[in-house]
Amino acid sequence: MGRFHRHDDGTAHAHDDHAHGEDHAHGEDHSGYQTGAERVEVLERIFGENDKTAAANRAEFAASGVRAVNLMSSPGAGKTTLLRETLTRLADRVRVGIIEGDIETSLDADKLAGFGAEVALINTGNGFGGECHLDAPMVRSALPRLPLADLDLVLIENVGNLVCPAEFDVGEDARAMVYAITEGEEKPLKYPVMFRSCGLVVVNKVDLLPYLGFDMEGFLGNLRKVNPAAEVMLVSARTGEGVDAWCDWLRALP
Amino acid sequence: MHELSICSSIADIARRRAAGRTITVINVRVGQLRQIVPDTLVYCWSLISEETALAGSRIVVESVPARIRCRSCQHTADVGDLPSFACAACGGIDVEIVAGEEFLITSLELAEEGVDG
């Protein structure tokens, strides 16, 4: 997994590798002159296919008048609890669909059943050891299982992971992440791509503030370094504090 | 492990572009903000390509450091190891990323056999 600093180590290595690789390639090019080997320019984006499907998802959401939110977090930050509280508050006013990404189980989907939302589960376990994220084709596969025309809002609960989900556009209108104060103040610096990719950071489990030596100012300073424009909400999904503000944010999505 | 699904995308593009010719090297450009670990990508490629027509080919990664430019003062700087996306010169937060988000196949190196393919 590509942690930032580890990635930097890798970067340094990769540069060396690349230099060797080029030397090697020059050698091959030389023999290539005799054997007909050649280098062809490609310049093709590796996420091109994903992004095409994401655009198709986005168009389908738009055509149905649905707003889609990609909700991301580390495992255990409280996404599912927040969604349950969200459904409790919104279910009779906003028609909500949920796309639930989970590597193996239906545990999260089961928790959300009975709260007035349509839930489509995507198990990502078909991959080698399970995919660590949702991509656009996975979300596309879930769309036929949601009555989009009858919905206002689709919440896409991504796989719990602070690295991979940030890389994949799934066709959402907005990205939000749930961060729990039990995760430590330095997380924005360790996972800058995730924190930078989200317009809203829901800071969850604030009911634990009296019991943890959590440095809120330090955390917010770190967040501002990687995403100065991020909106922040202090929430406790467990006690309900701040959940109304989150629901208002969802209802006000442009 | 999203390097595995990424390798599948790379394989699709490489197969299409090679049009039947044997690939020896796939040159990939990866920006620092892409969170791809080059060693993991190379390892996953060996898993994905094994026992396929792509077996024996290898991925060579060119890494690109992340750089930002301040829209107020035009100062340009590397994002660095402890990332900061604020301008180091004027403290401005309205910055654009000018490098580090690349993720593409730049070129393929093809062997001689299959030229007619």
Side-chain angles (χ1 to χ4, degrees):
Chain A
M1 299 245 189
R3 293 205 183 175
F4 208 78
H5 70 275
R6 200 183 136 196
H7 176 92
D8 272 355
D9 289 345
T11 300
H13 281 294
H15 259 292
D16 291 339
D17 288 345
H18 183 57
H20 289 306
E22 286 220 310
D23 289 341
H24 203 65
H26 285 311
E28 282 172 358
D29 279 349
H30 226 93
S31 60
Y33 186 71
Q34 296 162 326
T35 62
E38 71 170 309
R39 174 184 293 213
V40 295
E41 193 174 76
V42 175
L43 296 179
E44 185 165 333
R45 292 171 57 251
I46 292 164
F47 283 137
E49 277 302 314
N50 181 77
D51 292 353
K52 244 187 265 174
T53 307
N57 291 348
R58 192 167 280 119
E60 196 160 335
F61 288 133
S64 308
V66 167
R67 290 281 164 268
V69 178
N70 185 356
L71 188 61
M72 300 180 281
S73 81
S74 59
K79 284 192 304 295
T80 309
T81 305
L82 179 65
L83 286 183
R84 197 188 60 210
E85 290 305 306
T86 306
L87 294 180
T88 303
R89 285 163 176 77
L90 288 184
D92 56 352
R93 288 177 289 167
V94 180
R95 298 167 299 171
V96 183
I98 290 181
I99 295 174
E100 179 71 49
D102 212 328
I103 289 179
E104 283 293 350
T105 71
S106 65
L107 292 174
D108 285 352
D110 296 345
K111 277 186 212 162
L112 294 172
F115 283 89
E118 298 284 344
V119 180
L121 175 68
I122 306 173
N123 273 145
T124 60
N126 295 334
F128 183 83
E131 286 291 0
C132 44
H133 61 274
L134 295 181
D135 62 20
M138 289 184 226
V139 168
R140 185 136 201 90
S141 73
L143 294 187
R145 286 179 277 138
L146 286 177
L148 284 184
D150 301 327
L151 297 177
D152 305 308
L153 178 67
V154 169
L155 299 171
I156 302 162
E157 182 175 353
N158 217 310
V159 179
N161 179 344
L162 288 183
V163 181
C164 314
E167 296 285 334
F168 294 86
D169 181 3
V170 298
E172 70 273 21
D173 297 295
R175 284 184 174 195
M177 70 174 291
V178 179
Y179 159 86
I181 61 170
T182 47
E183 297 177 53
E185 298 85 357
E186 77 296 344
K187 284 293 178 293
L189 302 181
K190 289 188 173 176
Y191 302 95
V193 177
M194 170 62 75
F195 279 87
R196 197 176 163 76
S197 79
C198 291
L200 171 68
V201 177
V202 173
V203 178
N204 193 23
K205 306 194 184 181
V206 295
D207 54 304
L208 298 178
L209 274 172
Y211 312 105
L212 303 172
F214 183 74
D215 175 8
M216 183 68 81
E217 278 313 305
F219 165 74
L220 293 174
N222 290 339
L223 175 60
R224 269 182 230 114
K225 279 184 193 161
V226 302
N227 189 354
E231 197 174 336
V232 176
M233 277 176 198
L234 304 187
V235 166
S236 168
R238 197 173 69 86
T239 67
E241 179 183 349
V243 177
D244 286 337
W246 152 252
C247 290
D248 291 344
W249 183 87
L250 288 173
R251 297 178 70 188
L253 281 174
Chain B
M1 290 295 281
H2 65 313
E3 281 84 353
L4 266 175
S5 55
I6 283 166
C7 280
S8 301
S9 300
I10 292 175
D12 290 344
I13 295 170
R15 260 194 294 267
R16 172 161 47 77
R17 292 301 193 103
R21 295 184 59 181
T22 300
I23 299 169
T24 53
V25 175
I26 300 166
N27 290 301
V28 175
R29 184 177 297 156
V30 182
Q32 181 186 355
L33 298 175
R34 282 303 183 180
Q35 305 188 110
I36 308 293
V37 181
D39 289 350
T40 309
L41 194 66
V42 167
Y43 172 65
C44 288
W45 183 254
S46 68
L47 295 179
I48 287 273
S49 59
E50 201 174 35
E51 292 174 14
T52 73
L54 295 163
S57 65
R58 61 197 176 89
I59 283 186
V60 174
V61 177
E62 172 197 357
S63 296
V64 182
R67 287 180 71 76
I68 54 172
R69 179 165 53 223
C70 176
R71 287 198 177 95
S72 330
C73 76
Q74 305 304 317
H75 179 74
T76 302
D78 281 350
V79 167
D81 294 351
L82 262 187
S84 174
F85 291 86
C87 175
C90 74
I93 59 171
D94 185 15
V95 300
E96 61 179 323
I97 294 171
V98 293
E101 293 187 314
E102 300 81 357
F103 192 35
L104 66 159
I105 298 179
T106 50
S107 63
L108 300 176
E109 289 166 29
L110 305 175
E112 178 195 18
E113 70 259 60
V115 168
D116 54 350

